[in-house]
Amino acid sequence: MTAQADNGVPEIPARLVDAIVFLRGEEEGRTWLAELPGRILDHARRWGLSLGRIADGGAMSCCVLCVTGDGTESVLKIPLSAEAGRQEARLLRLWGASDAVPAVLRDVPETGVFLMSRIVPGTTAWARSGPADSCRFGELLSRLETAEPAGPAWLQDLREVAELRMGWARDRFSEPRYADDPRYAGHIASIADAERVLAVLLETTRERHVLHADLQAKNILCGPEGRWFAIDPMGAVGDLNAEAALWAAVQDGPA
């Protein structure tokens, strides 16, 4: 849905509405959504933005495509969590010289809302070209290298991200549609096996790098001249191979 309401605010996509209500619950989610148009309009006026459509497919934030007064294509991001928004803006600034992420143009640390440059054309970098896409991914990783490899103190350790992902997996396969289906009978045991392997990897790895920590295809956009750019970082410090492992595990491609 791309229509605009009478106040000029783009209509909120149904998919985003469903995601917010699912994550925050009916009462809190509906309250956040009811306040959203006013917040969008307030920031548009404050920063002189011409509003376009709201990006479809978000779940943890509302991203509004817009144009600044000087013609810069940008994205206004209003996160569900103020802390998550602050963290993302700090990470993007950390990589500011890398030419591998959007640039933060404006932000409000108190609310986590920020304005960033838009990656154009911005299509998702689904991995469909086999080794060629893996090379593009490696080139993106190289650009994301920072001058501060150990990372700032406010970044979480990779262990925390691994535990979070394992928790998501356990929750998923505990749902009745999986738990009651014989085809998934071994999945919980597989998660336990993966946790044992992870424990060894995390204990024996000494390399420390600033990581995106969620660098899979859905968080990589195609930019000018086919170069890839990273968005929506979780942020962590750990072994760089973890980024490549996630890419290999979840990529939507033939190889």
Side-chain angles (χ1 to χ4, degrees), residues 81-158:
S81 161
E83 177 55 35
R86 286 191 290 269
Q87 171 99 335
E88 182 173 348
R90 292 171 84 181
L91 280 164
L92 295 180
R93 284 198 168 106
L94 184 66
W95 285 311
S98 69
D99 189 33
V101 297
V104 177
L105 306 176
R106 300 281 188 90
D107 68 324
V108 184
E110 293 80 9
T111 63
V113 176
F114 64 94
L115 182 73
M116 60 184 162
S117 60
R118 183 181 175 191
I119 304 301
V120 179
T123 52
T124 304
W126 299 118
R128 297 192 175 105
S129 300
D133 282 336
S134 293
C135 288
R136 292 188 186 93
F137 180 83
E139 191 269 340
L140 175 59
L141 274 186
S142 296
R143 283 155 57 211
L144 286 171
E145 280 290 297
T146 68
E148 191 179 3
W154 47 266
L155 275 174
Q156 63 185 337
D157 188 87
L158 179 60

Side-chain angles (χ1 to χ4, degrees), residues 9-34:
V9 176
E11 190 168 355
I12 303 171
R15 184 175 172 184
L16 178 59
V17 171
D18 292 342
I20 297 299
V21 171
F22 174 78
L23 287 169
R24 284 296 182 92
E26 186 71 29
E27 183 175 353
E28 186 178 350
R30 295 290 178 189
T31 298
W32 190 88
L33 289 163

Side-chain angles (χ1 to χ4, degrees), residues 65-90:
L65 309 185
C66 47
V67 180
T68 65
D70 65 3
T72 301
E73 293 194 72
S74 53
V75 178
L76 172 64
K77 186 160 188 173
I78 301 179
L80 263 178
S81 161
E83 177 55 35
R86 286 191 290 269
Q87 171 99 335
E88 182 173 348
R90 292 171 84 181

Side-chain angles (χ1 to χ4, degrees), residues 1-65:
M1 295 185 290
T2 58
Q4 292 195 333
D6 293 340
N7 60 8
V9 176
E11 190 168 355
I12 303 171
R15 184 175 172 184
L16 178 59
V17 171
D18 292 342
I20 297 299
V21 171
F22 174 78
L23 287 169
R24 284 296 182 92
E26 186 71 29
E27 183 175 353
E28 186 178 350
R30 295 290 178 189
T31 298
W32 190 88
L33 289 163
E35 295 171 350
L36 185 58
R39 297 179 71 188
I40 293 172
L41 199 57
D42 177 62
H43 285 87
R45 289 169 175 164
R46 185 189 312 184
W47 292 335
L49 307 176
S50 297
L51 300 174
R53 65 180 178 85
I54 293 177
D56 195 4
M60 301 296 292
S61 62
C62 174
C63 291
V64 188
L65 309 185

